Amino acid sequence: MRELNDITLAGYRVDKGEGGWLAVSMSREQAAGRRNFIRGLLKHKAKWSRLTNDQLDRVRVFQMGGVWVIEDEELYQYVL
């Protein structure tokens, strides 16, 4: 069940008080679980595998059809 929560939270950005496109407030535990889930998806993607916690908090990862998509902080989307 926790993994489902992490998948859902990965589709949003972590709101640290400044708001933003699809940003929601999360507890520390939720943000950490979200980061771990996203890191797992990105570990074999050279361009994305070394994001810091702050950078991970500013991206979204979601499924579209049968593929995973990452949306960077400038709202550009890339198929993983």
Side-chain angles (χ1 to χ4, degrees):
M1 188 70 144
R2 174 161 173 91
E3 184 177 324
L4 180 59
N5 190 38
D6 294 340
I7 291 170
T8 302
L9 291 175
Y12 297 95
R13 290 177 169 75
V14 178
D15 185 0
K16 296 182 178 178
E18 65 265 4
W21 172 249
L22 292 174
V24 297
S25 296
M26 297 179 201
S27 68
R28 284 185 184 183
E29 294 81 17
Q30 289 174 317
R34 176 188 177 278
R35 286 185 208 118
N36 287 335
F37 174 76
I38 293 173
R39 277 197 178 97
L41 289 175
L42 302 177
K43 67 182 173 186
H44 298 295
K45 307 294 183 187
K47 178 177 179 169
W48 303 103
S49 64
R50 296 180 186 221
L51 297 179
T52 66
N53 285 346
D54 285 335
Q55 289 171 317
L56 284 171
D57 290 348
R58 293 189 302 260
V59 301
R60 304 187 317 121
V61 177
F62 55 94
Q63 281 189 303
M64 185 180 293
V67 298
W68 285 96
V69 176
I70 185 168
E71 184 178 271
D72 68 13
E73 52 196 298
E74 295 177 358
L75 306 181
Y76 288 101
Q77 296 178 352
Y78 305 88
V79 174
L80 296 175

